[in-house]
Amino acid sequence: MIVYNRIQELKKHLNIARSQGKTIGFVPTMGALHAGHIALVQKSKAENDITVCSIFVNPTQFNDLSDLEKYPRTLENDSRLLEAVDCDLIFAPEVLEMYTEAELALKLKKVEDLAWTEGKTIDFGILDKVMEGAHRPGHFNGVAQVVSKLFRIVEPHKAYFGQKDFQQLAIIRSMTKQLGMPIEIIGCPIVRESDGLAMSSRNVRLTEKERALAPLIYKTLYAVQQNASKSSIVELKAFAENEIKKEASMSLEYFEISDANTLEPIHELKSQQTAVACIALKLGAVRLIDNVVIG
Ligand code: PAF
């Protein structure tokens, strides 16, 4: 396994591989790797000749500075985990390798402000306005910015993302299509702890007491999924909101049931329709998200 910190060195390696007809799979991450990330790497290993995993805590997607500062950085352990599954290349750039000072100074506001669109008109429709988009202003612009940069550096054939960030996956699919990038975007199932908690790099920040409460999130989503055919959307939402409200250390940001393709909130589940129930809440100081697909 080779670790690259420099864009040009990674590109040189990948250009040689590409000229030999090798296929490239890419797993972008912010590090603090867990079994969910490792499953993405394993899938990429199975489907491509070379797998690149990037580890970069992207400052432009954090709308809360203290969240950025507290984000776990565990490069040594991450490298060990990636070595164990035979990942081929790690790309772990410094912030100034990825961004100019000017880009960092520009507080991302609108899609149109961003150089990453390369003059193309990008319209995410409601994809970046609902749920995470509404609660984390600028977040998806930062995600799209860094992922488009990473895609231009790695130029993978396939890129792998977890479905835990369901909305992020929709944004990345839309961005890739609108920028005309010839990359297959592959969404992979959520990996859960044995008690149901979705794996997340943020879980390590939960106190012991909070960790013991955290399975309530999936328990609630699971009950919603099981009752979806018997209850109305209003009833399902009221149920989920009440379950979370019962736990004093949890503060709900949103619980939404949306069409799984458009992310348009729905008021009634039609037959043949696939929906997604998404939740975001704070457990103590830690913000967690999760979702289940319905229908
Ligand atoms: O999902 C993540 O870890 C990040 O949002 C991503 C896609 C690596 C971009 O920084």
Side-chain angles (χ1 to χ4, degrees), residues 26-38:
F26 180 39
V27 182
T29 81
M30 296 206 296
L33 302 184
H34 50 67
H37 296 112
I38 297 304

PDB file of all heavy atoms in Angstrom, residues 26-38:
ATOM      1  N   PHE A  26     -12.683   4.052  -6.295  1.00  0.00           N
ATOM      2  CA  PHE A  26     -12.327   5.154  -5.376  1.00  0.00           C
ATOM      3  C   PHE A  26     -13.286   5.199  -4.195  1.00  0.00           C
ATOM      4  O   PHE A  26     -14.514   5.157  -4.368  1.00  0.00           O
ATOM      5  CB  PHE A  26     -12.382   6.462  -6.167  1.00  0.00           C
ATOM      6  CG  PHE A  26     -12.032   7.690  -5.362  1.00  0.00           C
ATOM      7  CD1 PHE A  26     -11.011   7.675  -4.422  1.00  0.00           C
ATOM      8  CD2 PHE A  26     -12.725   8.874  -5.572  1.00  0.00           C
ATOM      9  CE1 PHE A  26     -10.690   8.807  -3.685  1.00  0.00           C
ATOM     10  CE2 PHE A  26     -12.420  10.019  -4.844  1.00  0.00           C
ATOM     11  CZ  PHE A  26     -11.397   9.975  -3.895  1.00  0.00           C
ATOM     12  N   VAL A  27     -12.723   5.286  -3.004  1.00  0.00           N
ATOM     13  CA  VAL A  27     -13.524   5.423  -1.781  1.00  0.00           C
ATOM     14  C   VAL A  27     -13.091   6.717  -1.075  1.00  0.00           C
ATOM     15  O   VAL A  27     -12.073   6.746  -0.383  1.00  0.00           O
ATOM     16  CB  VAL A  27     -13.316   4.208  -0.835  1.00  0.00           C
ATOM     17  CG1 VAL A  27     -14.192   4.348   0.405  1.00  0.00           C
ATOM     18  CG2 VAL A  27     -13.607   2.895  -1.555  1.00  0.00           C
ATOM     19  N   PRO A  28     -13.871   7.806  -1.254  1.00  0.00           N
ATOM     20  CA  PRO A  28     -13.520   9.050  -0.562  1.00  0.00           C
ATOM     21  C   PRO A  28     -13.977   8.991   0.895  1.00  0.00           C
ATOM     22  O   PRO A  28     -15.119   8.596   1.165  1.00  0.00           O
ATOM     23  CB  PRO A  28     -14.331  10.130  -1.306  1.00  0.00           C
ATOM     24  CG  PRO A  28     -15.043   9.447  -2.414  1.00  0.00           C
ATOM     25  CD  PRO A  28     -15.043   7.982  -2.130  1.00  0.00           C
ATOM     26  N   THR A  29     -13.115   9.362   1.830  1.00  0.00           N
ATOM     27  CA  THR A  29     -13.494   9.362   3.246  1.00  0.00           C
ATOM     28  C   THR A  29     -12.885  10.581   3.940  1.00  0.00           C
ATOM     29  O   THR A  29     -11.994  11.238   3.394  1.00  0.00           O
ATOM     30  CB  THR A  29     -12.985   8.104   4.008  1.00  0.00           C
ATOM     31  OG1 THR A  29     -11.607   8.300   4.353  1.00  0.00           O
ATOM     32  CG2 THR A  29     -13.139   6.836   3.201  1.00  0.00           C
ATOM     33  N   MET A  30     -13.360  10.797   5.167  1.00  0.00           N
ATOM     34  CA  MET A  30     -12.723  11.817   6.009  1.00  0.00           C
ATOM     35  C   MET A  30     -11.942  11.113   7.133  1.00  0.00           C
ATOM     36  O   MET A  30     -11.658  11.713   8.164  1.00  0.00           O
ATOM     37  CB  MET A  30     -13.764  12.779   6.565  1.00  0.00           C
ATOM     38  CG  MET A  30     -14.457  13.566   5.451  1.00  0.00           C
ATOM     39  SD  MET A  30     -15.097  15.158   5.956  1.00  0.00           S
ATOM     40  CE  MET A  30     -16.326  14.660   7.121  1.00  0.00           C
ATOM     41  N   GLY A  31     -11.628   9.842   6.927  1.00  0.00           N
ATOM     42  CA  GLY A  31     -10.848   9.104   7.923  1.00  0.00           C
ATOM     43  C   GLY A  31     -11.695   8.672   9.102  1.00  0.00           C
ATOM     44  O   GLY A  31     -12.921   8.598   8.999  1.00  0.00           O
ATOM     45  N   ALA A  32     -11.027   8.369  10.237  1.00  0.00           N
ATOM     46  CA  ALA A  32     -11.685   7.764  11.407  1.00  0.00           C
ATOM     47  C   ALA A  32     -12.499   6.566  10.915  1.00  0.00           C
ATOM     48  O   ALA A  32     -13.704   6.454  11.157  1.00  0.00           O
ATOM     49  CB  ALA A  32     -12.550   8.784  12.143  1.00  0.00           C
ATOM     50  N   LEU A  33     -11.800   5.707  10.208  1.00  0.00           N
ATOM     51  CA  LEU A  33     -12.473   4.627   9.480  1.00  0.00           C
ATOM     52  C   LEU A  33     -13.091   3.596  10.416  1.00  0.00           C
ATOM     53  O   LEU A  33     -12.565   3.309  11.488  1.00  0.00           O
ATOM     54  CB  LEU A  33     -11.469   3.938   8.548  1.00  0.00           C
ATOM     55  CG  LEU A  33     -10.792   4.847   7.517  1.00  0.00           C
ATOM     56  CD1 LEU A  33      -9.888   4.023   6.602  1.00  0.00           C
ATOM     57  CD2 LEU A  33     -11.790   5.645   6.701  1.00  0.00           C
ATOM     58  N   HIS A  34     -14.210   3.039   9.969  1.00  0.00           N
ATOM     59  CA  HIS A  34     -14.886   1.969  10.702  1.00  0.00           C
ATOM     60  C   HIS A  34     -15.298   0.903   9.687  1.00  0.00           C
ATOM     61  O   HIS A  34     -15.005   1.035   8.476  1.00  0.00           O
ATOM     62  CB  HIS A  34     -16.081   2.521  11.476  1.00  0.00           C
ATOM     63  CG  HIS A  34     -16.996   3.363  10.648  1.00  0.00           C
ATOM     64  ND1 HIS A  34     -17.742   2.860   9.619  1.00  0.00           N
ATOM     65  CD2 HIS A  34     -17.246   4.702  10.677  1.00  0.00           C
ATOM     66  CE1 HIS A  34     -18.442   3.828   9.058  1.00  0.00           C
ATOM     67  NE2 HIS A  34     -18.147   4.967   9.669  1.00  0.00           N
ATOM     68  N   ALA A  35     -16.026  -0.104  10.174  1.00  0.00           N
ATOM     69  CA  ALA A  35     -16.365  -1.241   9.304  1.00  0.00           C
ATOM     70  C   ALA A  35     -17.181  -0.826   8.080  1.00  0.00           C
ATOM     71  O   ALA A  35     -17.121  -1.493   7.039  1.00  0.00           O
ATOM     72  CB  ALA A  35     -17.115  -2.290  10.111  1.00  0.00           C
ATOM     73  N   GLY A  36     -17.941   0.270   8.187  1.00  0.00           N
ATOM     74  CA  GLY A  36     -18.713   0.754   7.033  1.00  0.00           C
ATOM     75  C   GLY A  36     -17.777   1.170   5.895  1.00  0.00           C
ATOM     76  O   GLY A  36     -17.984   0.812   4.733  1.00  0.00           O
ATOM     77  N   HIS A  37     -16.718   1.927   6.241  1.00  0.00           N
ATOM     78  CA  HIS A  37     -15.753   2.340   5.213  1.00  0.00           C
ATOM     79  C   HIS A  37     -15.023   1.120   4.633  1.00  0.00           C
ATOM     80  O   HIS A  37     -14.801   1.026   3.430  1.00  0.00           O
ATOM     81  CB  HIS A  37     -14.678   3.258   5.817  1.00  0.00           C
ATOM     82  CG  HIS A  37     -15.181   4.555   6.336  1.00  0.00           C
ATOM     83  ND1 HIS A  37     -15.185   4.871   7.677  1.00  0.00           N
ATOM     84  CD2 HIS A  37     -15.698   5.633   5.698  1.00  0.00           C
ATOM     85  CE1 HIS A  37     -15.666   6.086   7.842  1.00  0.00           C
ATOM     86  NE2 HIS A  37     -15.998   6.569   6.666  1.00  0.00           N
ATOM     87  N   ILE A  38     -14.685   0.212   5.532  1.00  0.00           N
ATOM     88  CA  ILE A  38     -13.908  -0.956   5.087  1.00  0.00           C
ATOM     89  C   ILE A  38     -14.737  -1.805   4.113  1.00  0.00           C
ATOM     90  O   ILE A  38     -14.213  -2.337   3.136  1.00  0.00           O
ATOM     91  CB  ILE A  38     -13.409  -1.773   6.313  1.00  0.00           C
ATOM     92  CG1 ILE A  38     -12.455  -0.904   7.166  1.00  0.00           C
ATOM     93  CG2 ILE A  38     -12.738  -3.077   5.898  1.00  0.00           C
ATOM     94  CD1 ILE A  38     -11.245  -0.332   6.425  1.00  0.00           C
TER      95      ILE A  38
END
